[in-house]
Amino acid sequence: MDRISKAVELAAEKRQSKRRKKPVSRSESAQPFEYTKTRRIVVPQEVMRENRLIAGSDQQIIIDAYKLLRTRVLHRMQQNNWRALGITSPGANVGKTLTAVNLAISIAMKHENTVVLVDADLRRPSVHKCLGIEPEKGLLDYLEGDIPIDEMLINPGIDGFVVIPSHNDSHTRSSERLSSTRMERLVRELKARYPDRLVLFDLPPILVGDDVEAFSPYVDAFLLVVEEGKTDVTEYAKTVEILENKDVLGTVLNKSEEIGHGYDYYY
Ligand SMILES: Nc1ncnc2c1ncn2[C@@H]1O[C@H](COP(=O)(O)OP(=O)(O)OP(=O)(O)O)[C@@H](O)[C@H]1O
Ligand SMILES: [Mg+2]
């Protein structure tokens, strides 16, 4: 086992020891989404396959890895009554967005849960690219303009899965926007509107600017993504230190050569 894997396991053990338990509180029946106002843009199977989305994959080992991640994420979220999860990483380009989209799809595939995925990476939004869609409206229009939430919602053709995309890169004032009262209202409304749904946020890397720290009060927990051979131990340790007082649900070790299938989940 390499050093990053050991560091991930050590951090997981540390978190485990301070974890608090709350009772499970979920309603028995998750109703399907109302698509009356949500735009439906069906993502073709070949686009899903090309972009490594599990809904278009026939590689059972990859589907199973995401299902395992899903089950563990759901278990922990339900145990703690968490509903909003932020997905981040120490540095860039390690697979956060792909993990967020595939996690959302795998949650929706379970049929008992529905999920909203918000592209909260205002600097380098890419959920829409991962899905191969071109949104007309996005999170920035909501944060800077006055458009209603419904106008941003897109259903990519998978029942139970709704996306709030972000399509204009914005390197200026991204942390101010993410911590704005409008953003706070969006998170509150998403949670209130979908009482039994999970809200996932695809975030920028934590060590690039203060976006994730500024946004952190709005999520219940974080999921970290690291890439074997790319994320180094110092970066990882710094990330764990920054999130010390936050709940970190676990770490995905992405593109792992060790096990051979590239999608490991350290819990
Ligand atoms: N396990 C994997 N196996 C193969 N390719 C992968 C894997 N995970 C991610 N990728 C690819 O790596 C690239 C970067 O992935 P992604 O955009 O999800 O990273 P990111 O961490 O969100 O990047 P950014 O920091 O720019 O937001 C994409 O082309 C994606 O398809
Ligand atoms: Mg990304």
Side-chain angles (χ1 to χ4, degrees), residues 122-125 168-175 177 211:
L122 297 177
R123 292 165 187 256
R124 205 146 68 157
N168 298 321
D169 296 18
S170 161
H171 291 271
T172 55
R173 303 188 59 249
S174 53
S175 66
R177 284 169 168 142
D211 291 18

Side-chain angles (χ1 to χ4, degrees), residues 1-12 15 233 236-237 240:
M1 186 183 291
D2 70 2
R3 291 174 70 218
I4 186 73
S5 307
K6 275 188 195 141
V8 167
E9 287 202 337
L10 273 175
R15 283 196 302 276
V233 177
Y236 185 74
V240 170

Side-chain angles (χ1 to χ4, degrees), residues 27 29-39 83-84 114-116 118 142 146-154 162-164 182 184-199 201:
S27 81
S29 58
Q31 298 300 317
F33 269 79
E34 298 263 351
Y35 291 118
T36 42
K37 291 186 178 166
T38 304
R39 280 183 68 210
R83 301 248 320 285
T114 54
V115 61
V116 183
V118 182
Y142 170 84
D146 202 19
I147 66 162
I149 294 174
D150 294 332
E151 281 193 27
M152 300 186 287
L153 301 178
I154 294 176
V162 169
V163 173
I164 294 187
R182 255 185 103 63
E184 199 242 324
R185 201 201 309 167
L186 173 68
V187 178
R188 200 162 12 95
E189 284 187 22
L190 286 176
K191 284 169 135 187
R193 187 192 296 208
Y194 309 114
D196 286 319
R197 277 77 180 189
L198 299 180
V199 189
F201 295 90

